[in-house]
Amino acid sequence: MKPKLGIAGLELLYGDLHALRGITMQIAPAEIVALIGPSGCGKSALLGVLNRMTGPDAHLAGSVELDGQDIYRDLNEYELRRRVGMIFARPNVFPMSIYDNIAFGPRVNGERRRPVLDEMVETALTEAELWDEVKDRLRSPALRLSEGQQQRLCIARALALQPEVLLLDEPTSSLDPIATGRIEQLLERLSQRMAILLVTHAVQQASRISDRTAFFLHGELVECGRTEEMFVQPRQQSTADYISGRFQR
Ligand SMILES: Nc1ncnc2c1ncn2[C@@H]1O[C@H](COP(=O)(O)OP(=O)(O)OP(=O)(O)O)[C@@H](O)[C@H]1O
């Protein structure tokens, strides 16, 4: 099967700081890959590269491709951001109504027809398992939702653009276990039809929901494999130490 994302020999430097070193990995069109590793190992930096958010002081080498097209040379940012959604640790809802948050992307893309927008909003909220909770208050401010609901709203906002890839940077770090469980179920369901890269500090979350896990250390990809295998029999000692909580810096 052709990969959705292909990363080959990726190097990322910020001045003298070598944030990613020779990363090569492929992501299938429908799977969850968890990115784990100690703070500063380059997990968020990798998501940033995939969404072209590394900033002007970054120096990149190697290649990153979406469906065989180079993310930096063959795609414009606009198309890339439509096809690759990004979710951050804290829900970044816009200070507007629930409805307008979801309709924002389609409107930027030129969609003005009210019935079409209505349907897009309902579909995205349903897919993000939020519709039943908000359908009677679509005009109320999104900031009044609970943090867990706000995070599902952010996922719905990304889904309204029908992305092929979702990048999530510790999306449940500010949520309680129940809200976390809802997001995890949602991601498992979405992974049946899109590629999901999930940065998480919670190794148990990686073991619960990811198909594959990638362990990073000091900017290097130490190993990447089937999650159930890696958690039972990691190939490298550093992986074993990290997932068992015995890691020493
Ligand atoms: N814009 C930037 N300018 C300079 N250095 C940066 C920049 N972004 C990231 N870095 C550095 O790159 C390295 C990797 O950072 P990154 O944020 O990817 O780590 P991480 O594994 O996601 O850590 P955490 O789990 O704490 O979020 C770190 O040393 C960080 O300080």
Side-chain angles (χ1 to χ4, degrees):
M1 192 192 296
K2 282 195 189 146
K4 177 56 70 178
L5 288 169
I7 303 164
L10 174 65
E11 309 280 340
L12 171 66
L13 288 110
Y14 291 106
D16 293 340
L17 193 143
H18 210 147
L20 291 171
R21 299 165 184 264
I23 307 298
T24 294
M25 63 190 295
Q26 299 190 327
I27 316 295
E31 67 169 339
I32 302 187
V33 179
L35 310 182
I36 63 169
S39 201
C41 68
K43 308 177 297 291
S44 304
L46 180 59
L47 295 194
V49 170
L50 295 173
N51 215 15
R52 274 172 62 170
M53 292 195 305
T54 44
D57 49 342
H59 178 76
L60 279 168
S63 73
V64 276
E65 294 181 344
L66 176 65
D67 278 339
Q69 287 188 296
D70 191 286
I71 284 177
Y72 285 80
R73 283 191 286 272
D74 302 332
L75 297 171
N76 63 40
E77 280 187 12
Y78 179 75
E79 185 184 354
L80 179 68
R81 304 262 160 79
R82 188 189 61 72
R83 295 174 65 185
V84 179
M86 178 86 195
I87 306 293
F88 299 93
R90 301 303 296 257
N92 61 335
V93 298
F94 302 149
M96 50 180 78
S97 72
I98 294 168
Y99 185 101
D100 287 341
N101 262 272
I102 308 294
F104 189 88
R107 280 179 175 141
V108 168
N109 284 344
E111 185 56 69
R112 291 278 177 276
R113 292 167 295 175
R114 189 55 198 252
V116 176
L117 287 171
D118 286 353
E119 194 172 326
M120 284 175 153
V121 169
E122 178 169 348
T123 303
L125 288 169
T126 304
E127 284 178 338
E129 296 173 11
L130 192 56
W131 175 250
D132 288 340
E133 289 157 73
V134 302
K135 62 177 188 281
D136 299 325
R137 48 175 167 148
L138 293 175
R139 292 286 157 205
S140 69
L143 285 162
R144 279 196 208 140
L145 296 172
S146 73
E147 205 147 327
Q149 288 171 324
Q150 287 188 26
Q151 196 60 303
R152 276 181 282 139
L153 184 70
C154 290
I155 294 174
R157 194 172 63 199
L159 294 178
L161 293 173
Q162 300 186 307
E164 296 151 44
V165 179
L166 268 191
L167 309 175
L168 302 107
D169 199 347
E170 299 178 50
T172 59
S173 57
S174 66
L175 305 182
D176 71 20
I178 293 171
T180 296
R182 294 208 63 167
I183 301 268
E184 289 182 359
Q185 281 168 16
L186 169 60
L187 295 180
E188 278 188 283
R189 215 166 39 70
L190 292 174
S191 72
Q192 290 164 13
R193 61 182 174 87
M194 63 183 72
I196 295 183
L197 273 177
L198 169 71
V199 168
T200 180
H201 277 136
V203 290
Q204 289 313 318
Q205 178 167 70
S207 80
R208 277 195 298 271
I209 65 168
S210 69
D211 300 298
R212 291 191 297 143
T213 297
F215 173 61
F216 288 79
L217 187 59
H218 307 313
E220 287 179 21
L221 176 57
V222 175
E223 63 180 296
C224 179
R226 310 274 338 147
T227 297
E228 64 269 22
E229 286 165 22
M230 191 186 287
F231 276 75
V232 174
Q233 207 163 27
R235 288 194 293 271
Q236 303 297 330
Q237 187 60 42
S238 55
T239 315
D241 290 345
Y242 184 75
I243 61 184
S244 64
R246 290 193 304 264
F247 192 81
Q248 307 279 318
R249 274 191 163 262

